[in-house]
Amino acid sequence: MPPTIAQQRGLAYAPISFAVVSLFSSSYVIYYLLYKERQKLHRLYHRLVLAMNFALLPVTFTYAWSTFAVPEGTPNYVGASGTINTCTAQGFISVMLNMTVPTYYVSLSLQAFMGMKHKFQEENYQWIEKFIHLIAWCVPAALASILLFTDNLNPNGSGCHNAKAPQGCESDPDVPCERGGDVDMVEYIVGLGLAFLYFVFPPSIIISMYCWIKKLRNKMDMKRSTGMQQLREYAQKEMVQQIAIQICLYLFSFWFTFVPTIIVFAYTILNDGKILYDLLVFANCVFALQGFVMAMVYFTLQRLGTPKVEVLPTRTSGLRGNHPTVQSIRTSAMNIAMTDFEVTEDLKESLNFNIFDGVPDEDSPWAKYFDEDHDCSDDEDEHKPDAERGESIE
């Protein structure tokens, strides 16, 4: 059953405003990283975000292009005013970059895992960057090229995508297909690849990260906590809580833009090609908004987990100086007794942590908190009063 005139208008015009918002959002992220905070690009995380937003620009442009790229005279497409060439171009960009963008998005979780594993020393895992770029661009380009050379980029949904022409000919024996070859294998690869990118890889990686930190924290709980050891334990506890929040935000935003499209696709398969056009309009609008959603996630994660440059326990020693008094010795003893409480209370506002960004190792206190083999004796000793280290108070 073809869409009504109202539904055709919804498919043609509704996604445009959302696509424009996404275009401005992705453009701002690019401007922010290239001009306002260019120093951030020395971190792999921000370089991947930049590349993802460069891919998002043409994707959202295809939604703004909408049915204007569909060949003029195509039935059931309001606003169709293009040619076969414009339709093919729109379809190629859409198919290719709709695989490139999620590849970059899931790579953020991979680099986060590698960063935590290597204590934020990026030189030890920076080699993954070139493979991420190769996979993100070359594999989608190869699959989209197969569809291009077999004439499988035709009107579909709110514009042109992977489909045969005229639309619905593959399921109607009375309507011969004029364009589009048999590429079922490619379609299966694309479908399974997208399912893997959206629903398997990201949760697997970041749940592994969460469990690793949780396990490390439990191992720390078995040890007696004093001084720097307590600081590490408190830091790991804070990390577990912050990682849980950031994981939820990361996955929810990722799935939010894609799940409506999956529902439409599943319904069409289970109902012999029947399409819920109203839901399709909604799904296209949500998907066209992904540039805005991902920009909000990027800046929200920075706000939730802004890394601090230095985290040090505050302890003053009354024994410092050339002429200690009885009062200063008593104060020093009280400070020693209160150290654990002070470490915890004074650092509550400092233990912010972004699992995707990390910070340069030389600026970060987090590396030692991740390292369960780190010897805290030196950290504790440097904060001990002179008397405890055996120094003279004279």
mmCIF file with all atom_site columns, all heavy atoms in Angstrom, residues 35-52:
data_model
loop_
_atom_site.group_PDB
_atom_site.id
_atom_site.type_symbol
_atom_site.label_atom_id
_atom_site.label_alt_id
_atom_site.label_comp_id
_atom_site.label_asym_id
_atom_site.label_entity_id
_atom_site.label_seq_id
_atom_site.pdbx_PDB_ins_code
_atom_site.Cartn_x
_atom_site.Cartn_y
_atom_site.Cartn_z
_atom_site.occupancy
_atom_site.B_iso_or_equiv
_atom_site.pdbx_formal_charge
_atom_site.auth_seq_id
_atom_site.auth_comp_id
_atom_site.auth_asym_id
_atom_site.auth_atom_id
_atom_site.pdbx_PDB_model_num
ATOM 1   N N   . TYR A 1 35 ? 39.786 24.955 16.005 1.00 0.00 ? 35 TYR A N   1
ATOM 2   C CA  . TYR A 1 35 ? 40.126 26.351 16.250 1.00 0.00 ? 35 TYR A CA  1
ATOM 3   C C   . TYR A 1 35 ? 40.091 26.750 17.724 1.00 0.00 ? 35 TYR A C   1
ATOM 4   O O   . TYR A 1 35 ? 40.990 27.434 18.199 1.00 0.00 ? 35 TYR A O   1
ATOM 5   C CB  . TYR A 1 35 ? 39.191 27.260 15.438 1.00 0.00 ? 35 TYR A CB  1
ATOM 6   C CG  . TYR A 1 35 ? 39.343 27.077 13.949 1.00 0.00 ? 35 TYR A CG  1
ATOM 7   C CD1 . TYR A 1 35 ? 38.433 26.312 13.235 1.00 0.00 ? 35 TYR A CD1 1
ATOM 8   C CD2 . TYR A 1 35 ? 40.419 27.643 13.256 1.00 0.00 ? 35 TYR A CD2 1
ATOM 9   C CE1 . TYR A 1 35 ? 38.576 26.118 11.863 1.00 0.00 ? 35 TYR A CE1 1
ATOM 10  C CE2 . TYR A 1 35 ? 40.571 27.460 11.889 1.00 0.00 ? 35 TYR A CE2 1
ATOM 11  C CZ  . TYR A 1 35 ? 39.644 26.693 11.195 1.00 0.00 ? 35 TYR A CZ  1
ATOM 12  O OH  . TYR A 1 35 ? 39.796 26.504 9.851  1.00 0.00 ? 35 TYR A OH  1
ATOM 13  N N   . LYS A 1 36 ? 39.068 26.332 18.461 1.00 0.00 ? 36 LYS A N   1
ATOM 14  C CA  . LYS A 1 36 ? 38.957 26.767 19.848 1.00 0.00 ? 36 LYS A CA  1
ATOM 15  C C   . LYS A 1 36 ? 39.825 25.943 20.796 1.00 0.00 ? 36 LYS A C   1
ATOM 16  O O   . LYS A 1 36 ? 40.431 26.483 21.706 1.00 0.00 ? 36 LYS A O   1
ATOM 17  C CB  . LYS A 1 36 ? 37.492 26.709 20.289 1.00 0.00 ? 36 LYS A CB  1
ATOM 18  C CG  . LYS A 1 36 ? 36.590 27.731 19.624 1.00 0.00 ? 36 LYS A CG  1
ATOM 19  C CD  . LYS A 1 36 ? 35.234 27.790 20.285 1.00 0.00 ? 36 LYS A CD  1
ATOM 20  C CE  . LYS A 1 36 ? 35.316 28.365 21.687 1.00 0.00 ? 36 LYS A CE  1
ATOM 21  N NZ  . LYS A 1 36 ? 33.981 28.531 22.301 1.00 0.00 ? 36 LYS A NZ  1
ATOM 22  N N   . GLU A 1 37 ? 39.841 24.625 20.612 1.00 0.00 ? 37 GLU A N   1
ATOM 23  C CA  . GLU A 1 37 ? 40.589 23.737 21.525 1.00 0.00 ? 37 GLU A CA  1
ATOM 24  C C   . GLU A 1 37 ? 41.470 22.792 20.726 1.00 0.00 ? 37 GLU A C   1
ATOM 25  O O   . GLU A 1 37 ? 41.406 21.577 20.878 1.00 0.00 ? 37 GLU A O   1
ATOM 26  C CB  . GLU A 1 37 ? 39.606 22.949 22.388 1.00 0.00 ? 37 GLU A CB  1
ATOM 27  C CG  . GLU A 1 37 ? 38.744 23.788 23.305 1.00 0.00 ? 37 GLU A CG  1
ATOM 28  C CD  . GLU A 1 37 ? 39.534 24.383 24.455 1.00 0.00 ? 37 GLU A CD  1
ATOM 29  O OE1 . GLU A 1 37 ? 40.652 23.901 24.716 1.00 0.00 ? 37 GLU A OE1 1
ATOM 30  O OE2 . GLU A 1 37 ? 39.032 25.330 25.087 1.00 0.00 ? 37 GLU A OE2 1
ATOM 31  N N   . ARG A 1 38 ? 42.281 23.351 19.862 1.00 0.00 ? 38 ARG A N   1
ATOM 32  C CA  . ARG A 1 38 ? 43.092 22.525 18.972 1.00 0.00 ? 38 ARG A CA  1
ATOM 33  C C   . ARG A 1 38 ? 44.058 21.630 19.735 1.00 0.00 ? 38 ARG A C   1
ATOM 34  O O   . ARG A 1 38 ? 44.436 20.552 19.262 1.00 0.00 ? 38 ARG A O   1
ATOM 35  C CB  . ARG A 1 38 ? 43.858 23.417 17.984 1.00 0.00 ? 38 ARG A CB  1
ATOM 36  C CG  . ARG A 1 38 ? 44.532 22.633 16.861 1.00 0.00 ? 38 ARG A CG  1
ATOM 37  C CD  . ARG A 1 38 ? 45.192 23.552 15.840 1.00 0.00 ? 38 ARG A CD  1
ATOM 38  N NE  . ARG A 1 38 ? 45.806 22.784 14.772 1.00 0.00 ? 38 ARG A NE  1
ATOM 39  C CZ  . ARG A 1 38 ? 45.160 22.349 13.695 1.00 0.00 ? 38 ARG A CZ  1
ATOM 40  N NH1 . ARG A 1 38 ? 43.884 22.640 13.549 1.00 0.00 ? 38 ARG A NH1 1
ATOM 41  N NH2 . ARG A 1 38 ? 45.791 21.655 12.767 1.00 0.00 ? 38 ARG A NH2 1
ATOM 42  N N   . GLN A 1 39 ? 44.472 22.058 20.923 1.00 0.00 ? 39 GLN A N   1
ATOM 43  C CA  . GLN A 1 39 ? 45.420 21.257 21.698 1.00 0.00 ? 39 GLN A CA  1
ATOM 44  C C   . GLN A 1 39 ? 44.830 19.905 22.093 1.00 0.00 ? 39 GLN A C   1
ATOM 45  O O   . GLN A 1 39 ? 45.579 18.969 22.398 1.00 0.00 ? 39 GLN A O   1
ATOM 46  C CB  . GLN A 1 39 ? 45.874 22.012 22.953 1.00 0.00 ? 39 GLN A CB  1
ATOM 47  C CG  . GLN A 1 39 ? 44.840 22.130 24.064 1.00 0.00 ? 39 GLN A CG  1
ATOM 48  C CD  . GLN A 1 39 ? 43.842 23.247 23.843 1.00 0.00 ? 39 GLN A CD  1
ATOM 49  O OE1 . GLN A 1 39 ? 43.884 23.926 22.809 1.00 0.00 ? 39 GLN A OE1 1
ATOM 50  N NE2 . GLN A 1 39 ? 42.956 23.455 24.799 1.00 0.00 ? 39 GLN A NE2 1
ATOM 51  N N   . LYS A 1 40 ? 43.518 19.791 22.080 1.00 0.00 ? 40 LYS A N   1
ATOM 52  C CA  . LYS A 1 40 ? 42.895 18.511 22.426 1.00 0.00 ? 40 LYS A CA  1
ATOM 53  C C   . LYS A 1 40 ? 43.204 17.425 21.399 1.00 0.00 ? 40 LYS A C   1
ATOM 54  O O   . LYS A 1 40 ? 43.102 16.233 21.702 1.00 0.00 ? 40 LYS A O   1
ATOM 55  C CB  . LYS A 1 40 ? 41.373 18.678 22.552 1.00 0.00 ? 40 LYS A CB  1
ATOM 56  C CG  . LYS A 1 40 ? 40.918 19.456 23.770 1.00 0.00 ? 40 LYS A CG  1
ATOM 57  C CD  . LYS A 1 40 ? 39.406 19.539 23.828 1.00 0.00 ? 40 LYS A CD  1
ATOM 58  C CE  . LYS A 1 40 ? 38.929 20.276 25.072 1.00 0.00 ? 40 LYS A CE  1
ATOM 59  N NZ  . LYS A 1 40 ? 39.195 19.519 26.309 1.00 0.00 ? 40 LYS A NZ  1
ATOM 60  N N   . LEU A 1 41 ? 43.569 17.820 20.195 1.00 0.00 ? 41 LEU A N   1
ATOM 61  C CA  . LEU A 1 41 ? 43.780 16.845 19.129 1.00 0.00 ? 41 LEU A CA  1
ATOM 62  C C   . LEU A 1 41 ? 45.039 16.011 19.335 1.00 0.00 ? 41 LEU A C   1
ATOM 63  O O   . LEU A 1 41 ? 45.293 15.102 18.537 1.00 0.00 ? 41 LEU A O   1
ATOM 64  C CB  . LEU A 1 41 ? 43.836 17.557 17.769 1.00 0.00 ? 41 LEU A CB  1
ATOM 65  C CG  . LEU A 1 41 ? 42.516 18.203 17.320 1.00 0.00 ? 41 LEU A CG  1
ATOM 66  C CD1 . LEU A 1 41 ? 42.696 18.914 15.993 1.00 0.00 ? 41 LEU A CD1 1
ATOM 67  C CD2 . LEU A 1 41 ? 41.411 17.149 17.221 1.00 0.00 ? 41 LEU A CD2 1
ATOM 68  N N   . HIS A 1 42 ? 45.819 16.313 20.364 1.00 0.00 ? 42 HIS A N   1
ATOM 69  C CA  . HIS A 1 42 ? 46.949 15.430 20.635 1.00 0.00 ? 42 HIS A CA  1
ATOM 70  C C   . HIS A 1 42 ? 46.481 14.151 21.324 1.00 0.00 ? 42 HIS A C   1
ATOM 71  O O   . HIS A 1 42 ? 47.269 13.219 21.515 1.00 0.00 ? 42 HIS A O   1
ATOM 72  C CB  . HIS A 1 42 ? 48.014 16.141 21.481 1.00 0.00 ? 42 HIS A CB  1
ATOM 73  C CG  . HIS A 1 42 ? 47.642 16.310 22.923 1.00 0.00 ? 42 HIS A CG  1
ATOM 74  N ND1 . HIS A 1 42 ? 46.679 17.200 23.338 1.00 0.00 ? 42 HIS A ND1 1
ATOM 75  C CD2 . HIS A 1 42 ? 48.102 15.686 24.046 1.00 0.00 ? 42 HIS A CD2 1
ATOM 76  C CE1 . HIS A 1 42 ? 46.564 17.130 24.663 1.00 0.00 ? 42 HIS A CE1 1
ATOM 77  N NE2 . HIS A 1 42 ? 47.412 16.212 25.121 1.00 0.00 ? 42 HIS A NE2 1
ATOM 78  N N   . ARG A 1 43 ? 45.185 14.081 21.668 1.00 0.00 ? 43 ARG A N   1
ATOM 79  C CA  . ARG A 1 43 ? 44.608 12.870 22.239 1.00 0.00 ? 43 ARG A CA  1
ATOM 80  C C   . ARG A 1 43 ? 43.809 12.128 21.180 1.00 0.00 ? 43 ARG A C   1
ATOM 81  O O   . ARG A 1 43 ? 43.066 12.715 20.386 1.00 0.00 ? 43 ARG A O   1
ATOM 82  C CB  . ARG A 1 43 ? 43.698 13.204 23.420 1.00 0.00 ? 43 ARG A CB  1
ATOM 83  C CG  . ARG A 1 43 ? 44.397 13.861 24.589 1.00 0.00 ? 43 ARG A CG  1
ATOM 84  C CD  . ARG A 1 43 ? 45.405 12.968 25.238 1.00 0.00 ? 43 ARG A CD  1
ATOM 85  N NE  . ARG A 1 43 ? 44.797 11.800 25.873 1.00 0.00 ? 43 ARG A NE  1
ATOM 86  C CZ  . ARG A 1 43 ? 45.504 10.763 26.341 1.00 0.00 ? 43 ARG A CZ  1
ATOM 87  N NH1 . ARG A 1 43 ? 46.808 10.735 26.198 1.00 0.00 ? 43 ARG A NH1 1
ATOM 88  N NH2 . ARG A 1 43 ? 44.898 9.761  26.917 1.00 0.00 ? 43 ARG A NH2 1
ATOM 89  N N   . LEU A 1 44 ? 43.956 10.799 21.140 1.00 0.00 ? 44 LEU A N   1
ATOM 90  C CA  . LEU A 1 44 ? 43.302 9.967  20.145 1.00 0.00 ? 44 LEU A CA  1
ATOM 91  C C   . LEU A 1 44 ? 41.786 10.129 20.178 1.00 0.00 ? 44 LEU A C   1
ATOM 92  O O   . LEU A 1 44 ? 41.125 10.169 19.132 1.00 0.00 ? 44 LEU A O   1
ATOM 93  C CB  . LEU A 1 44 ? 43.681 8.494  20.376 1.00 0.00 ? 44 LEU A CB  1
ATOM 94  C CG  . LEU A 1 44 ? 42.996 7.456  19.481 1.00 0.00 ? 44 LEU A CG  1
ATOM 95  C CD1 . LEU A 1 44 ? 43.261 7.740  18.014 1.00 0.00 ? 44 LEU A CD1 1
ATOM 96  C CD2 . LEU A 1 44 ? 43.466 6.055  19.863 1.00 0.00 ? 44 LEU A CD2 1
ATOM 97  N N   . TYR A 1 45 ? 41.218 10.220 21.373 1.00 0.00 ? 45 TYR A N   1
ATOM 98  C CA  . TYR A 1 45 ? 39.766 10.348 21.521 1.00 0.00 ? 45 TYR A CA  1
ATOM 99  C C   . TYR A 1 45 ? 39.214 11.507 20.710 1.00 0.00 ? 45 TYR A C   1
ATOM 100 O O   . TYR A 1 45 ? 38.255 11.370 19.948 1.00 0.00 ? 45 TYR A O   1
ATOM 101 C CB  . TYR A 1 45 ? 39.428 10.513 23.000 1.00 0.00 ? 45 TYR A CB  1
ATOM 102 C CG  . TYR A 1 45 ? 38.015 10.944 23.287 1.00 0.00 ? 45 TYR A CG  1
ATOM 103 C CD1 . TYR A 1 45 ? 36.941 10.076 23.087 1.00 0.00 ? 45 TYR A CD1 1
ATOM 104 C CD2 . TYR A 1 45 ? 37.736 12.227 23.760 1.00 0.00 ? 45 TYR A CD2 1
ATOM 105 C CE1 . TYR A 1 45 ? 35.640 10.471 23.362 1.00 0.00 ? 45 TYR A CE1 1
ATOM 106 C CE2 . TYR A 1 45 ? 36.438 12.629 24.038 1.00 0.00 ? 45 TYR A CE2 1
ATOM 107 C CZ  . TYR A 1 45 ? 35.397 11.749 23.841 1.00 0.00 ? 45 TYR A CZ  1
ATOM 108 O OH  . TYR A 1 45 ? 34.103 12.140 24.099 1.00 0.00 ? 45 TYR A OH  1
ATOM 109 N N   . HIS A 1 46 ? 39.835 12.677 20.825 1.00 0.00 ? 46 HIS A N   1
ATOM 110 C CA  . HIS A 1 46 ? 39.336 13.868 20.151 1.00 0.00 ? 46 HIS A CA  1
ATOM 111 C C   . HIS A 1 46 ? 39.569 13.791 18.644 1.00 0.00 ? 46 HIS A C   1
ATOM 112 O O   . HIS A 1 46 ? 38.772 14.334 17.862 1.00 0.00 ? 46 HIS A O   1
ATOM 113 C CB  . HIS A 1 46 ? 39.979 15.113 20.745 1.00 0.00 ? 46 HIS A CB  1
ATOM 114 C CG  . HIS A 1 46 ? 39.675 15.307 22.196 1.00 0.00 ? 46 HIS A CG  1
ATOM 115 N ND1 . HIS A 1 46 ? 38.461 15.775 22.649 1.00 0.00 ? 46 HIS A ND1 1
ATOM 116 C CD2 . HIS A 1 46 ? 40.421 15.059 23.307 1.00 0.00 ? 46 HIS A CD2 1
ATOM 117 C CE1 . HIS A 1 46 ? 38.474 15.828 23.972 1.00 0.00 ? 46 HIS A CE1 1
ATOM 118 N NE2 . HIS A 1 46 ? 39.643 15.397 24.394 1.00 0.00 ? 46 HIS A NE2 1
ATOM 119 N N   . ARG A 1 47 ? 40.633 13.119 18.235 1.00 0.00 ? 47 ARG A N   1
ATOM 120 C CA  . ARG A 1 47 ? 40.857 12.955 16.795 1.00 0.00 ? 47 ARG A CA  1
ATOM 121 C C   . ARG A 1 47 ? 39.787 12.055 16.187 1.00 0.00 ? 47 ARG A C   1
ATOM 122 O O   . ARG A 1 47 ? 39.327 12.297 15.057 1.00 0.00 ? 47 ARG A O   1
ATOM 123 C CB  . ARG A 1 47 ? 42.258 12.385 16.538 1.00 0.00 ? 47 ARG A CB  1
ATOM 124 C CG  . ARG A 1 47 ? 43.386 13.325 16.935 1.00 0.00 ? 47 ARG A CG  1
ATOM 125 C CD  . ARG A 1 47 ? 44.709 12.908 16.314 1.00 0.00 ? 47 ARG A CD  1
ATOM 126 N NE  . ARG A 1 47 ? 45.151 11.591 16.756 1.00 0.00 ? 47 ARG A NE  1
ATOM 127 C CZ  . ARG A 1 47 ? 45.878 11.377 17.856 1.00 0.00 ? 47 ARG A CZ  1
ATOM 128 N NH1 . ARG A 1 47 ? 46.210 12.394 18.635 1.00 0.00 ? 47 ARG A NH1 1
ATOM 129 N NH2 . ARG A 1 47 ? 46.272 10.149 18.175 1.00 0.00 ? 47 ARG A NH2 1
ATOM 130 N N   . LEU A 1 48 ? 39.386 11.026 16.900 1.00 0.00 ? 48 LEU A N   1
ATOM 131 C CA  . LEU A 1 48 ? 38.328 10.155 16.405 1.00 0.00 ? 48 LEU A CA  1
ATOM 132 C C   . LEU A 1 48 ? 36.990 10.887 16.360 1.00 0.00 ? 48 LEU A C   1
ATOM 133 O O   . LEU A 1 48 ? 36.207 10.719 15.423 1.00 0.00 ? 48 LEU A O   1
ATOM 134 C CB  . LEU A 1 48 ? 38.219 8.905  17.288 1.00 0.00 ? 48 LEU A CB  1
ATOM 135 C CG  . LEU A 1 48 ? 39.413 7.949  17.260 1.00 0.00 ? 48 LEU A CG  1
ATOM 136 C CD1 . LEU A 1 48 ? 39.199 6.802  18.243 1.00 0.00 ? 48 LEU A CD1 1
ATOM 137 C CD2 . LEU A 1 48 ? 39.648 7.405  15.857 1.00 0.00 ? 48 LEU A CD2 1
ATOM 138 N N   . VAL A 1 49 ? 36.726 11.699 17.370 1.00 0.00 ? 49 VAL A N   1
ATOM 139 C CA  . VAL A 1 49 ? 35.494 12.500 17.371 1.00 0.00 ? 49 VAL A CA  1
ATOM 140 C C   . VAL A 1 49 ? 35.494 13.459 16.184 1.00 0.00 ? 49 VAL A C   1
ATOM 141 O O   . VAL A 1 49 ? 34.457 13.644 15.514 1.00 0.00 ? 49 VAL A O   1
ATOM 142 C CB  . VAL A 1 49 ? 35.353 13.279 18.692 1.00 0.00 ? 49 VAL A CB  1
ATOM 143 C CG1 . VAL A 1 49 ? 34.236 14.308 18.597 1.00 0.00 ? 49 VAL A CG1 1
ATOM 144 C CG2 . VAL A 1 49 ? 35.079 12.318 19.845 1.00 0.00 ? 49 VAL A CG2 1
ATOM 145 N N   . LEU A 1 50 ? 36.633 14.064 15.893 1.00 0.00 ? 50 LEU A N   1
ATOM 146 C CA  . LEU A 1 50 ? 36.727 14.982 14.759 1.00 0.00 ? 50 LEU A CA  1
ATOM 147 C C   . LEU A 1 50 ? 36.446 14.255 13.450 1.00 0.00 ? 50 LEU A C   1
ATOM 148 O O   . LEU A 1 50 ? 35.665 14.740 12.613 1.00 0.00 ? 50 LEU A O   1
ATOM 149 C CB  . LEU A 1 50 ? 38.116 15.619 14.725 1.00 0.00 ? 50 LEU A CB  1
ATOM 150 C CG  . LEU A 1 50 ? 38.388 16.597 13.571 1.00 0.00 ? 50 LEU A CG  1
ATOM 151 C CD1 . LEU A 1 50 ? 37.470 17.818 13.686 1.00 0.00 ? 50 LEU A CD1 1
ATOM 152 C CD2 . LEU A 1 50 ? 39.854 17.018 13.560 1.00 0.00 ? 50 LEU A CD2 1
ATOM 153 N N   . ALA A 1 51 ? 37.064 13.095 13.253 1.00 0.00 ? 51 ALA A N   1
ATOM 154 C CA  . ALA A 1 51 ? 36.840 12.330 12.022 1.00 0.00 ? 51 ALA A CA  1
ATOM 155 C C   . ALA A 1 51 ? 35.381 11.903 11.903 1.00 0.00 ? 51 ALA A C   1
ATOM 156 O O   . ALA A 1 51 ? 34.800 11.928 10.808 1.00 0.00 ? 51 ALA A O   1
ATOM 157 C CB  . ALA A 1 51 ? 37.757 11.107 12.009 1.00 0.00 ? 51 ALA A CB  1
ATOM 158 N N   . MET A 1 52 ? 34.772 11.506 13.018 1.00 0.00 ? 52 MET A N   1
ATOM 159 C CA  . MET A 1 52 ? 33.364 11.102 12.995 1.00 0.00 ? 52 MET A CA  1
ATOM 160 C C   . MET A 1 52 ? 32.471 12.256 12.561 1.00 0.00 ? 52 MET A C   1
ATOM 161 O O   . MET A 1 52 ? 31.521 12.059 11.787 1.00 0.00 ? 52 MET A O   1
ATOM 162 C CB  . MET A 1 52 ? 32.945 10.596 14.376 1.00 0.00 ? 52 MET A CB  1
ATOM 163 C CG  . MET A 1 52 ? 31.503 10.126 14.449 1.00 0.00 ? 52 MET A CG  1
ATOM 164 S SD  . MET A 1 52 ? 31.050 9.504  16.087 1.00 0.00 ? 52 MET A SD  1
ATOM 165 C CE  . MET A 1 52 ? 31.077 11.023 17.042 1.00 0.00 ? 52 MET A CE  1
#
